[in-house]
Amino acid sequence: MAVIEINSLDHPGVEVFASLTETQLRNRLEPEKGIFIAESPKVIRIGLQAGYTPLSLLCEPKHIEGDAAEIIALCPDIPVYTGSRQLLEKLTGYELTRGVLCAMRRPKPLSLEEVCAGKRRIVVVDGVVNATNTGAIFRASAALGIDAVLITDTSCDPLNRRCVRVSMGTIFQVPWCKVGSIGPRLYSQLHELGFKTAAMALTDNSVSIDDATLMQEEKLAIVMGAEGDGLPHSAIDNADYVVKIPMQNNVDSLNVAAAAAVAFWQLRAR
């Protein structure tokens, strides 16, 4: 274990935790060479157990032999940068959750076919840019029986730091892939893989989420759109089902993460 105490914001090696933006951390041309930040001992541990490669740790001194001890023991060959709480907060720009950050290598991207192989329930997330909502959708997916997540280019990167933290590490447990844009081409690919599509939207033709035929589908792709704008018309018009969650008290809709949890529970494979 190489514990390196830092006393300045420009110490060599810590730029990954400070000066690099989320976009810079992501290597668009060669994603497998990109980096992401995992936050908190529990989340980092899940990532390590899932096979993600750690590159370096940033840790408050008191956690080196405390909350971070197990993490450090699991990856003894990487540098552990440490410094005062005040310095680390100034370095990162935010308060560290449980005082530990880990820079990890992004995995090789999976294909649509790899992610969907052998799956019965998947979710397609389109246009959800809020990291908290995306993280919550992954957590609900893991908890409520969704086998895989497909993310469009207009959605938040699942390996965004806040998204990873809100997911409580479930992003490392639920297979996912990027699918470009939503529309007839993606629906055609899903049909070829045996999935029926269910677009979550309020229209005159929407069926209730407890529709018996819908619930009996062998393989189902639940399609979720951004709160506010919702799904594009092409995603709704070309879906096998358009599905609504019945509301009371004149409430129009739920937050997308809450709606996802309801949909996942009701439409889980039986």
Side-chain angles (χ1 to χ4, degrees):
M1 175 183 67
V3 177
I4 303 169
E5 185 169 357
I6 64 173
N7 297 301
S8 69
L9 301 181
D10 56 0
H11 192 286
V14 300
E15 60 276 359
V16 66
F17 298 105
S19 59
L20 298 184
T21 65
E22 289 283 353
T23 299
Q24 290 169 329
L25 288 172
R26 244 180 8 248
N27 190 321
R28 289 186 179 276
L29 296 179
E30 299 178 89
E32 65 275 12
K33 292 185 179 180
I35 297 169
F36 70 96
I37 305 299
E39 187 177 3
S40 89
K42 179 178 180 179
V43 170
I44 296 168
R45 187 182 305 110
I46 294 172
L48 294 174
Q49 291 171 345
Y52 283 70
T53 303
L55 301 175
S56 60
L57 286 162
L58 186 69
C59 181
E60 290 181 35
K62 68 178 181 179
H63 293 302
I64 292 176
E65 296 183 0
D67 289 348
E70 181 183 351
I71 301 301
I72 293 171
L74 290 171
C75 40
D77 299 325
I78 66 172
V80 180
Y81 298 103
T82 189
S84 69
R85 184 180 184 86
Q86 293 75 18
L87 178 64
L88 298 191
E89 287 187 15
K90 191 172 183 181
L91 175 73
T92 60
Y94 51 85
E95 182 178 353
L96 275 64
T97 301
R98 302 293 296 275
V100 188
L101 297 177
C102 183
M104 290 183 160
R105 181 71 65 196
R106 294 179 73 94
K108 179 182 178 180
L110 297 175
S111 69
L112 175 67
E113 291 74 17
E114 289 173 320
V115 165
C116 293
K119 308 299 192 298
R120 294 184 59 196
R121 291 293 184 270
I122 65 174
V123 61
V124 183
V125 180
D126 177 63
V128 178
V129 298
N130 183 285
T132 298
N133 283 337
T134 302
I137 289 171
F138 268 90
R139 190 173 182 182
S141 297
L144 301 173
I146 296 299
D147 303 314
V149 180
L150 312 184
I151 299 281
T152 67
D153 287 339
T154 57
S155 298
C156 172
D157 172 29
L159 293 179
N160 170 285
R161 177 187 62 84
R162 182 168 179 79
C163 185
V164 172
R165 180 167 68 82
V166 172
S167 81
M168 293 302 292
T170 54
I171 278 173
F172 305 134
Q173 299 172 321
V174 180
W176 61 272
C177 70
K178 300 297 287 290
V179 292
S181 60
I182 199 166
R185 181 175 181 274
L186 176 60
Y187 281 1
S188 177
Q189 291 175 300
L190 291 173
H191 286 155
E192 289 176 5
L193 294 170
F195 287 92
K196 292 293 184 66
T197 53
M200 302 297 298
L202 292 172
T203 72
D204 293 338
N205 299 321
S206 296
V207 300
S208 175
I209 197 169
D210 59 358
D211 179 83
T213 303
L214 171 67
M215 292 170 58
Q216 291 172 5
E217 288 289 356
E218 178 65 21
K219 300 177 72 173
L220 193 64
I222 303 167
V223 186
M224 310 289 303
E227 188 174 2
D229 292 339
L231 291 168
H233 290 300
S234 61
I236 296 172
D237 295 342
N238 290 285
D240 296 300
Y241 298 93
V242 183
V243 184
K244 65 181 178 183
I245 300 172
M247 300 286 165
Q248 299 182 30
N249 296 316
N250 296 318
V251 176
D252 291 332
S253 63
L254 297 174
N255 163 275
V256 65
V262 173
F264 297 167
W265 168 255
Q266 184 64 45
L267 299 176
R268 67 193 186 280
R270 289 169 168 80

